[in-house]
Amino acid sequence: MTDAEAEIERIEVTLLLEAIFQRYGYDFRDYARASVERRLAQFLQDSETPTYSVALGRLLREPAYFHKLVPYFSVSVTSLFREPFFYEGLRTCVVPLLRTWPHFKVWHAGCATGEEVYSLAILLREEGILDRGLLYATDISQPALETGRAGVYPLEILRKGSENYHKAGGRGSLSDHYHARGDAGVMDSALARRMTFARHNLAMDRSFGEMQLILCRNVLIYFNQDLQNAVLELFLESLDNGGFLCLGDKETLAFSSVADAFVAVDDRARIYKKRVR
Amino acid sequence: MIVPRMPTPRLTDAVVIGGSAGASVPLRTLLTGLTPAFPAAILVVMHMHPDDGGLLAENLGQVLRLPVVEALDKMPVKRGRVHLAPADYHLLAERDGKLALSVDERVWWSRPSIDVTFQSAAAVWGRRLMAILLSGANEDGAAGLAEVQRRGGLALCQDPATATMPTMPAAGIKAAGLRGGESPEALSRRLMHLESEKPDAR
Ligand SMILES: C[S@@+](CC[C@H](N)C(=O)[O-])C[C@H]1O[C@@H](n2cnc3c(N)ncnc32)[C@H](O)[C@@H]1O
């Protein structure tokens, strides 16, 4: 492959993302390019499309073809109490402050199928402050949100979740918070009552109110630095003074435009606090 | 913009190394001789348990003269530094000189996957990439190595006869159509040789 061919391919991908945006309003233009190229390559292979240019033509003319592509952009890998030490960090650094507020709001941005939201709700319940909190859970993926809203998970997921629950300092047993139904577990409705699942696109939609805690874990890794900065500005604007922002295990504010607006309260757990100005 | 370019001699901006079972000893052989003046960035993907909390970075950091970091999302790629794929994340290179991570599905039951890193690095560095596939018990990395080759990079494998687990380098040799592999010592000499390439010739 020559340099020119490589450059042509790069241009084709750019045009394809632009076409998707103009035709359907889905903005993937500032997603991390390397992952986008992987997914497009996979989609081309699965849909037996020979080249990006052919894909471009079909995307413009065949909505059904486009709708087959959409799920490739939403990878909803998640789990209950993922990275247990993060939940320990929440207990030590964040819960004591949440206690001082009569009411608090939490935003799970990019909540996928909801496991993270139930994990936090369980933790808050064990700390005795669930009743004071409202948990807003948003994602771009409608099917993922449906799963979260239903709150029904296969027992296999709950079994693995139970291990992490204990590592995360859980006080009782995970099964205190769901009841079995066949091969699945139904999460306790007292947890679900505090949650609202809604569609929200971080690349396009605005803030929806003041939050005391924002979790956006393993979502920003799919964005390029520009879009990351824009989303982080949105979080900054949505956070109450002294509010908390939590990122994924391998994400950091260090390379972003908002690094100075936050202090790290738990480096390892990636918990940041908005500076009071 | 597409600018016609004069054919340039091969210079190496980045070296990607992948391995699995039996790869930690040859990995050290490859890297111990190198100094912080090494003119290329090094990306390393080793299969590991999802709960490995940065142990490999710690161990390598203690024995190498090169600085070693576990990759964070959007970390800049630096020459003369080893960037390790963290446990349970894929590591990708971006054209703006930064690293990106993903939690996409496993490839060959592995996250990090060698294919993912090799393929993205091939797209970024093309002819200016060297890729080395070491010992391992599955075929992750073979497709990536072929992609490096297709984009004009230099694809290399450990000689399966010298590998504790020959499956991975053998698959790499086959996929990239190489004549054979090389011993860890020979691969190490190749890397040492890069240090004598003049950085100002770039
Ligand atoms: C890997 S999951 C992270 C789930 C969870 N936060 C965790 O860490 O376990 C990434 C999620 O980000 C969502 N996502 C991707 N692009 C998005 C966007 N532009 N706006 C909102 N959510 C997005 C995906 O649909 C997916 O559910």
Side-chain angles (χ1 to χ4, degrees), chain A residues 5-40:
Chain A
E5 285 166 340
E7 183 64 3
I8 288 168
E9 211 175 270
R10 194 191 61 75
I11 296 170
E12 283 180 318
V13 172
T14 305
L15 295 176
L16 200 143
L17 298 176
E18 185 62 36
I20 293 174
F21 176 61
Q22 291 197 20
R23 176 77 171 85
Y24 302 100
Y26 281 63
D27 195 352
F28 300 122
R29 294 174 299 174
D30 282 323
Y31 274 44
R33 204 45 194 263
S35 279
V36 164
E37 286 172 11
R38 261 201 92 68
R39 289 163 186 195
L40 287 176

Side-chain angles (χ1 to χ4, degrees), chain A residues 31 73-79 82 109-113 116 138-141 144 200-203 216-219 222-223, chain B residues 103:
Chain A
Y31 274 44
F73 282 92
S74 171
V75 174
S76 306
V77 175
T78 187
S79 50
R82 178 182 196 164
C111 65
T113 41
E116 183 186 273
T138 66
D139 203 280
I140 192 178
S141 162
H200 180 279
N201 183 345
L202 288 167
C216 184
R217 309 179 66 229
N218 300 305
V219 180
Y222 290 108
F223 301 165
Chain B
V103 289

Side-chain angles (χ1 to χ4, degrees), chain A residues 17-73:
Chain A
L17 298 176
E18 185 62 36
I20 293 174
F21 176 61
Q22 291 197 20
R23 176 77 171 85
Y24 302 100
Y26 281 63
D27 195 352
F28 300 122
R29 294 174 299 174
D30 282 323
Y31 274 44
R33 204 45 194 263
S35 279
V36 164
E37 286 172 11
R38 261 201 92 68
R39 289 163 186 195
L40 287 176
Q42 187 66 50
F43 172 69
L44 256 61
Q45 200 184 330
D46 296 350
S47 62
E48 297 175 12
T49 313
T51 65
Y52 285 119
S53 294
V54 172
L56 176 70
R58 293 193 62 185
L59 281 169
L60 287 171
R61 288 181 187 84
E62 301 171 36
Y65 182 76
F66 167 68
H67 286 289
K68 277 193 201 134
L69 170 63
V70 173
Y72 286 75
F73 282 92

Side-chain angles (χ1 to χ4, degrees), chain A residues 210-265:
Chain A
E210 196 154 63
M211 301 287 154
Q212 278 67 46
L213 170 61
I214 297 178
L215 290 83
C216 184
R217 309 179 66 229
N218 300 305
V219 180
L220 295 176
I221 49 177
Y222 290 108
F223 301 165
N224 71 15
Q225 187 74 68
D226 289 345
L227 182 54
Q228 278 196 5
N229 287 341
V231 172
L232 288 167
E233 299 281 353
L234 176 71
F235 291 160
L236 183 62
E237 171 195 320
S238 312
L239 270 179
D240 201 0
N241 271 331
F244 296 92
L245 172 64
C246 306
L247 302 181
D249 188 24
K250 301 298 171 199
E251 296 169 325
T252 170
L253 291 183
F255 311 122
S256 79
S257 61
V258 301
D260 296 336
F262 289 91
V263 270
V265 291

Side-chain angles (χ1 to χ4, degrees), chain A residues 167-209:
Chain A
K167 284 189 203 155
R171 302 258 159 87
S173 153
L174 186 63
S175 58
D176 300 342
H177 305 280
Y178 68 86
H179 61 268
R181 194 170 70 195
D183 296 342
V186 183
M187 302 308 293
D188 196 333
S189 59
L191 301 170
R193 257 200 297 281
R194 310 305 303 168
M195 302 173 186
T196 305
F197 286 88
R199 191 160 185 282
H200 180 279
N201 183 345
L202 288 167
M204 308 184 65
D205 300 333
R206 303 309 307 161
S207 163
F208 54 94

Side-chain angles (χ1 to χ4, degrees), chain A residues 1 3 7 9 32-34 37-39 75 77 82-83 218 221-223 225 228 250 270, chain B residues 1-2 5 70 72-75 86 89 92-95 98 101 103-104 116 119 127 150-151:
Chain A
M1 180 181 235
D3 285 358
E7 183 64 3
E9 211 175 270
R33 204 45 194 263
E37 286 172 11
R38 261 201 92 68
R39 289 163 186 195
V75 174
V77 175
R82 178 182 196 164
E83 290 141 15
N218 300 305
I221 49 177
Y222 290 108
F223 301 165
Q225 187 74 68
Q228 278 196 5
K250 301 298 171 199
R270 309 278 171 204
Chain B
M1 195 173 37
I2 297 175
R5 261 185 243 145
E70 194 181 67
L72 289 174
D73 186 57
K74 302 296 176 281
M75 178 182 267
Y89 287 83
L92 302 99
E94 292 281 1
R95 289 189 187 82
K98 293 182 168 205
L101 300 175
V103 289
D104 282 11
V116 172
Q119 285 160 352
R127 279 179 293 124
R150 191 175 77 88
R151 292 192 181 253

